Amino acid sequence: MLTAMLFAAGIATTIATGGGGSGSQPPPPPPPAMLAITADNALDVSTVLVVGIGMSFDIGEITGTDVGGAAAASPRLLKLMRVADLPSKPFPNGSAKLESCFLDGTVDVTGTFADPNTLTVGDRIIAVFTDCDDGDGFVISGTVDLTVSAVQGNIMTEVFLLGFDVLLTDVEIVEGTSVILVEGEFAMTLDSLAFPVISQRIAGTELSLAVGAESINFSGLDHFIEVDLGLMPEEILATVSGRMGGDLIGGFVDYETTVGIQAVGDNEPYTGEILVTGAANSSVRIVINDSTSVTLEVDTNGDNVVDQFIDTNWAELNGNTSTINASTAPVIAREVIHAVTGFGSVAITPGSQFVSMAPFGLIKLQAVSGDFGPTDVNCAAAGTAAVSGTIASAGTFSAGDLLTAAFTSCARAGEVLDGSLDVAIATYDELPGDAYLLTATVTETGLARNAGGNTYTGDGVIDVSHDYRYTSQGFTYLNATATSFTVGQGGVDRLLSGASVYGEIMASAPPVTIVRSSSGSVSSPAIDGDYVYQSVTPDTFVFDADPATGPVSGALQVTASDGSILTIVAIDDLNVRLEVDYDGNGFADTMIDTTWAALQ
Amino acid sequence: MTVKVRSASQICFACLRAGDGVFASITTEWRNRRTAASALLVSAVLAFVIGTGVYFLDRSWSSVLFLAPLADWQPGSIGLFGQFGNSLPSLAHAYAFALLVIVALGPWRWARPAGALSWLLVACGLECLQSPAFRATFAPVYSVSANLADGGPFFDFMMNGRFDAVDLAATVAGVLAAYAVSSVLETQQ
């Protein structure tokens, strides 16, 4: 009895002290002091606040619902929790369901429901994500613990109100090369009772966001965003208040919207004010002039008189500090060229695997149906591809078919492939003579394509449309888009956002000629910030195996966040000109003549 | 000499009659044991007090369940224990409770190994429950089966605690120290 009591006391004291150790953390430092806002740090404080607030809404979106889109009817929360189909799959109390995420990873969901057919106040859902990739452009790990605090309306319709107490523990969100660690405890309310006006409020104790060794901590936060989906484009209103600290600014400040922040569609806000207050009533007022420019009004001594005005812009406040000048232009051109060429290279791969001499085409000829594979098929020139998947009808493809190919030095028609790709077919229209129109969602995982003397690897999800119907003699057409995609080359990963490529490929007689238009934005370890690129004139690329050559014609415009512009103009297959417009006024300030080889 | 015991109440008298030598031996051993046990108890309590002192003097009270209600009155961390304060509570707690269990198991011949091993398992198990792998497995199941709105203190312990191999090592060291120190019980026998 005495021994049992000792064990109970020992366990109780262990729990009461949180486990004895401090996790090898040093004793907690004294509470951070309120930060004195000065002319020197006002921009940094404002940038951290704007980025942090944006991230908090992103967290809400990931945890809850995409209030910025038309997804109110299918909250991401429910999708993430895998209870969107509650009525069809009643969730037994206390049971755990381990499910695979759409693309990769798992989510282990445990729930307690008063009514297994719907959500009720007091219901609890705990989701433990493990590298879960639902194809939303990010991968999530960690524990999301939700307790339902309010329910109104019908969650299966567009009109409802849901309140949650949210506890985020060790949540890691990986988006491209960016890794955000999140800890938080807050209440979240999703309200679409006034649909099409929907809103999200995050209010609570704390929200801690860490990127690398740098962190932003919110406490006493109240972040509200309202979207009117009835307008096109939608109108957005946001208000925020709370306290922000963290080692990024070395103290804490209080912030509050004094004029509601308003935005339209995907544009930056066009009006609104945020008052940020630091030590001794020092402050910076973030005044939004329009969807481009912002003025910071700095009061360093707290006398309510502006001591300094700082003109800035949204790109800078969003932490995007990209700029183009004569010294950076060659490096930026190189990174953009590799991003554009690489994306085109790996985007063309899936569709071309359906011709009769390629792995998927060979599987079709074998009249396979149902679940199959992996089946090794020999590639046309050398190497193999292990093909598996599900085909509904033998001898053809149709919507819903899933195909996977794992390539091993698979060589054909001037290309060598390694790595793997998964193809989920949306449509497949077949015509006589090895002709088809394919639309599909493709997931590439370390897919390496060596062609034209260069090797590019692709990682991510691409929506492709590949037209092999030869409606014009000898031409095929490629259209590919990706929300987020990584192109690797030479040991460097370039992260593409909103990437698209349209190509007309003339392959009936050598040499293969590609006319290509591209757009998107790119960032890479070699360049600061994001750069938006857009074809001004389509590239015409005569395909050969010499990596020192480039498009014989075409122009690609690259824009930095500060408005500076670089135009890459192809002179011929060996030479290229870089036109640098520092101030973005449409006139080139510097021209750099170089070669495609120098930009490799 | 044969001692016939007719009832349990006669045992003590039977011993007395059996001879003063046997009785003296038993009472001496009992006295020594009691002295040794007292010394061990004092050392366990001291260790417990030192471990608790770390929380009072060096830690943020708001992060400790039993001190959280007093957090507003915390005068400020003085950092008395420095880096040692990181894992000293784990070591002291393991030492104190392993020792107490050993003493409680009393004169049983396996008291030392059984007491030390059982507390080692409990303490290490609790520390491991704070590791992400265990937490991911047990926390949801526990919280749902416990059906507590906020998960309760044990859930908080798992979810908010931080697994640390150094704490684990300190726990092992504390139990080993208790095992070694408790050898005084045997040497006094």
Side-chain angles (χ1 to χ4, degrees), chain A residues 183-242:
Chain A
E183 306 279 343
E185 186 174 359
F186 51 83
M188 183 168 66
T189 307
L190 314 172
D191 184 353
S192 64
L193 291 175
F195 190 83
V197 177
I198 62 175
S199 68
Q200 176 196 87
R201 180 184 294 279
I202 295 174
T205 317
E206 62 163 331
L207 179 61
S208 172
L209 312 166
V211 180
E214 297 170 331
S215 64
I216 307 171
N217 304 315
F218 290 102
S219 57
L221 71 159
D222 186 350
H223 293 182
F224 173 81
I225 187 168
E226 181 182 273
V227 182
D228 187 346
L229 296 174
L231 301 173
M232 188 60 69
E234 67 263 26
E235 289 221 343
I236 299 166
L237 169 68
T239 59
V240 294
S241 66

Side-chain angles (χ1 to χ4, degrees), chain A residues 364-422:
Chain A
K364 189 184 76 170
L365 292 175
Q366 292 175 15
V368 173
S369 66
D371 295 336
F372 70 97
T375 303
D376 280 340
V377 296
N378 291 322
C379 299
T384 59
V387 183
S388 59
T390 304
I391 297 175
S393 303
T396 187
F397 299 112
S398 55
D401 285 356
L402 301 171
L403 297 166
T404 296
F407 301 101
T408 304
S409 302
C410 178
R412 180 182 66 89
E415 70 176 14
V416 181
L417 301 175
D418 283 286
S420 71
L421 59 80
D422 299 314

Side-chain angles (χ1 to χ4, degrees), chain A residues 156-174:
Chain A
M156 296 304 161
T157 69
E158 294 172 327
V159 183
F160 62 86
L161 180 146
L162 272 177
F164 288 95
D165 292 328
V166 182
L167 181 65
L168 304 178
T169 308
D170 294 338
V171 172
E172 180 186 88
I173 298 164
V174 181

